Amino acid sequence: NDISVEVEGNHLVIKGEDNESYWTDDFTKKFNLPAYIDSNSIKAKIKEGVLSITLQKKKESLPKKIKIS
């Protein structure tokens, strides 16, 4: 089984391919990425058959405290 995670423009694309069985089961799932997501910091891992994808917000989109003087 092959799984890939890619960023295409403002989309996160997950593709899977099963070459081990008689029937070839391929899939593609595309998700819109909001503008506040940092696409350079996306991480993906598989553990015990579960795909986990971590998305981080861009630093400029995080809340900022303003000191009152």
Side-chain angles (χ1 to χ4, degrees):
N1 297 347
D2 292 325
I3 296 178
S4 68
V5 179
E6 304 171 3
V7 175
E8 295 178 0
N10 64 338
H11 294 97
L12 180 71
V13 181
I14 302 171
K15 296 178 183 177
E17 189 176 297
D18 182 7
N19 294 325
E20 296 176 8
S21 64
Y22 177 76
W23 299 101
T24 302
D25 296 325
D26 297 343
F27 71 89
T28 300
K29 184 67 179 169
K30 190 180 278 194
F31 301 91
N32 289 328
L33 288 174
Y36 58 83
I37 294 296
D38 180 4
S39 62
N40 294 320
S41 67
I42 296 174
K43 293 184 172 90
K45 68 177 181 177
I46 294 181
K47 184 176 181 181
E48 298 179 11
V50 177
L51 174 64
S52 298
I53 300 174
T54 304
L55 309 173
Q56 292 184 346
K57 290 183 178 181
K58 293 179 181 175
K59 291 185 180 185
E60 60 266 16
S61 67
L62 295 174
K64 178 181 173 185
K65 287 191 174 186
I66 299 172
K67 186 177 179 179
I68 300 173
S69 55

